[in-house]
Amino acid sequence: MNKAYETMRGFWLDVKNLQHKSDVPQLGKYKICIAGVEIAALDTKGKIKNLMIAASSLGNASVYYENNSASGLGGFTGGAANGPVREKALCLMQAAAKDAEQLTAVTHLLGQKDPQSVTLFAVSADGQLYAKEVKEAEVRNPQHPLYPFFAYTQQVLGAFRTEQAQAQAAAEKKETETDKK
């Protein structure tokens, strides 16, 4: 795991980063404030690269991924005010709060190294980390007990893609209008 990715991952796994915000919702029996998934994939050189989709109970979310660029990191963040990312982030948080009892309390989150597995995680208001590694093919089955949790992580990613497509269309429209002048 490269340093830039590790730094952003650490930021999301530390609930203290929410403490400057007032009234951070604490969801469910375990008082969950942060949740998400970490996924591993092989790059074109056969090396493991990680991707993290994380959200907070405030409705914001981020996607960070390792890449082969100079910085070694890509990603995007959103949902703080409104829109599809916020909506899906809040749905993810509700699912994570409901499913937290199916996760295991851990002292730290091991980096995902298996491209066939995902690690679902949640962080409580007191900083307790909960996690569970699951085969991706299994958790994609709607009958799997953690399916809603995983599915909402994927919907957060989809919401980011929707926002990106809308922003790109708006930029292209503006460019076209500018060219006509």
Side-chain angles (χ1 to χ4, degrees), residues 12-68:
W12 271 100
L13 295 175
D14 187 354
V15 75
K16 292 177 189 168
N17 290 315
L18 296 178
Q19 291 179 346
H20 68 285
K21 307 284 186 181
S22 61
D23 300 323
V24 176
Q26 300 176 14
L27 307 175
K29 174 180 168 185
Y30 292 90
K31 299 181 179 183
I32 300 301
C33 295
I34 298 169
V37 66
E38 188 168 45
I39 300 169
L42 293 173
D43 70 6
T44 58
K45 298 175 183 174
K47 291 189 174 197
I48 291 288
K49 299 293 184 196
N50 287 290
L51 173 129
M52 174 182 269
I53 302 168
S56 84
S57 58
L58 295 168
N60 60 323
S62 291
V63 174
Y64 289 106
Y65 52 91
E66 291 182 288
N67 62 30
N68 293 325

Side-chain angles (χ1 to χ4, degrees), residues 1 13 18 21-22 40 56 59 65 75 86 92 104 113 134 146 160:
M1 178 178 317
L13 295 175
L18 296 178
K21 307 284 186 181
S22 61
S56 84
Y65 52 91
R86 180 178 179 77
L92 165 58
T104 302
K113 296 190 184 314
V134 186
L146 291 169
F160 274 115

